[in-house]
Amino acid sequence: MKTTKKTPPKKTTTASVAPKSDAASDLMDFFEDSLKDLYWAEKALVKSLPKMAKNASNEDLKAAIEEHIEVTRLHVERLDQVFASIDKKAVAKKCDAMAGLIEEANGILEETEPGVVRDAGIISASQKIEHYEIATYGTLRAFAEVLGLSEAEALLAETLQEEKDADVSLTELAVSAINLEAVDA
Ligand code: FE
Ligand code: ZN
Ligand code: FE
């Protein structure tokens, strides 16, 4: 006689995640960890944005990305200042999200013919990156505020505004010309 094995009901993983030994125990710790992640992300962008600029055909888009490379270098320096303001060493810790967004951007280049369609792709990839940065700087600025770190807060707010400006410029380039040209490509 066959015994029918009862399959146990699938467990949804609601179990609490075991923290690493060096896990943050207070908001200040978590703030510092998040800064390290963001520091890695900005440095990775300084290295990867030139490829995006090089692959852009539209001169305004190329110029906008080249300008943002310089702005991104400034963001790295500003993070150096944030670390200094809390008397911590500037350390970069791999940001999985930015690594993924950069990989996504490289994939978009491969999947598009050079010209307006690739340009639309570059804007799409760049805006995903800007939005991630906006979310991160927004959170860290709010953390700095509640932690009473006014110097860090001001520095983070400054970069947050520049990321927002970059995002608006990209939208303008997309809707004013590049998307329309890409439709007819
Ligand atoms: Fe940035
Ligand atoms: Zn990250
Ligand atoms: Fe940016």
Side-chain angles (χ1 to χ4, degrees), residues 15-32:
S16 133
V17 173
K20 289 182 180 174
S21 59
D22 63 345
S25 56
D26 58 30
L27 194 64
M28 186 62 205
D29 264 4
F30 184 50
F31 177 72
E32 194 191 337

Side-chain angles (χ1 to χ4, degrees), residues 42 45 49 68 71-72 75 98 126 129-131 133-134 137 159 162-164 166-167 170:
E42 291 283 22
L45 280 175
L49 284 174
H68 201 61
V71 173
T72 303
H75 294 173
M98 188 56 80
S126 303
I129 289 169
E130 294 313 320
H131 282 232
E133 290 186 292
I134 290 166
Y137 278 102
T159 299
E162 289 170 2
E163 305 293 16
K164 286 181 180 172
D167 183 52
L170 288 165

Side-chain angles (χ1 to χ4, degrees), residues 168-182:
V168 169
S169 310
L170 288 165
T171 298
E172 278 166 6
L173 280 172
V175 301
S176 70
I178 291 172
N179 286 354
L180 301 169
E181 289 164 24

Side-chain angles (χ1 to χ4, degrees), residues 37 95-98 132:
D37 180 285
C95 172
D96 293 324
M98 188 56 80
Y132 176 74

